[in-house]
Amino acid sequence: TTSISPPLASMLSDDVLKLRYAAYLDRLVELGDKQRHRTAQVGDGHLQYLANWYSERFRRLRALYDAIHGDLLGAFRELQDEGSLELITVCATHGYLPVIRQPEARRAQIQVACESYRRHFHRHPRGIWLAECGYAEGADQLLADAGLRYFFMDTHGVQNARPRPPLGILSELGRLDETLPLA
């Protein structure tokens, strides 16, 4: 599972930023070549090994970027469509739900995240990573209303929940498979 926030998705789809990243990769390749040449003259085998390793790594990254035509989101989408990767969204502006007091603002964080995801990945997200795993009372209903099936949060968010789940952090496991031993 990988989360891609709406701001990151927008940046990865921006043509100017794609060109700038390609130029950055070119500079890394050039730097790798210069270091490879420099360390060969110094005669330090370990430095030469590192320079070669980085030089080749930068070349492979540049070749991969060229192979996907600079379309990182498309590459992620393809991996998801073939079942190799689950992509989830993040609250629209990384809004930390426990400090957002207005339910409308919480709802907007979730709705904008879902809209951005649909725009970039051509389908509705199944899950969301809550910013800083910050759960706020009632967020589960907002997430369900938005069509999200699951979310990530820290254990303490379940342990300190109101009302506290009767089975603690194992409550969802028990719902998924009633045969699990819950001690």
Side-chain angles (χ1 to χ4, degrees):
T1 303
T2 296
S3 62
I4 298 179
S5 68
L8 178 59
S10 293
M11 291 181 346
L12 292 175
S13 66
D14 183 87
D15 290 334
V16 172
L17 293 180
K18 288 179 186 181
L19 290 173
R20 287 180 181 171
Y21 187 69
Y24 174 72
L25 287 173
D26 289 340
R27 290 192 305 274
L28 287 176
V29 168
E30 182 182 349
L31 174 63
D33 291 343
K34 286 178 181 178
Q35 289 301 314
R36 180 181 270 178
H37 177 72
R38 185 187 68 77
T39 56
Q41 293 177 339
V42 172
D44 183 327
H46 183 68
L47 288 178
Q48 182 68 46
Y49 170 81
L50 287 173
N52 288 337
W53 187 87
Y54 277 107
S55 180
E56 288 306 312
R57 178 175 171 82
F58 297 150
R59 287 184 182 286
R60 285 192 313 272
L61 287 172
R62 182 61 169 136
L64 175 60
Y65 196 71
D66 289 344
I68 63 171
H69 309 288
D71 185 10
L72 289 166
L73 290 180
F76 279 123
R77 186 181 327 110
E78 188 176 313
L79 289 170
Q80 177 167 257
D81 290 348
E82 70 186 26
S84 299
L85 178 67
E86 175 79 11
L87 294 174
I88 62 174
T89 190
V90 179
C91 294
T93 62
H94 206 78
Y96 184 58
L97 297 183
V99 299
I100 299 174
R101 297 288 177 218
Q102 303 301 324
E104 300 81 20
R106 288 181 184 165
R107 182 176 288 107
Q109 285 285 323
I110 296 163
Q111 292 297 334
V112 170
C114 291
E115 291 166 12
S116 171
Y117 186 97
R118 281 191 300 273
R119 186 171 54 256
H120 293 289
F121 298 108
H122 309 150
R123 68 187 207 183
H124 193 77
R126 295 192 307 184
I128 189 169
W129 182 82
L130 298 179
E132 306 314 318
C133 296
Y135 178 81
E137 191 171 346
D140 52 346
Q141 188 59 54
L142 293 173
L143 298 169
D145 290 348
L148 293 161
R149 295 174 47 201
Y150 64 91
F151 60 95
F152 289 90
M153 61 185 287
D154 286 330
T155 302
H156 72 272
V158 175
Q159 292 171 330
N160 298 323
R162 288 176 301 184
R164 186 177 174 140
L167 301 174
I169 62 171
L170 299 175
S171 60
E172 286 304 310
L173 291 175
R175 280 165 81 199
L176 294 174
D177 185 352
E178 296 298 331
T179 63
L180 286 175
L182 301 174

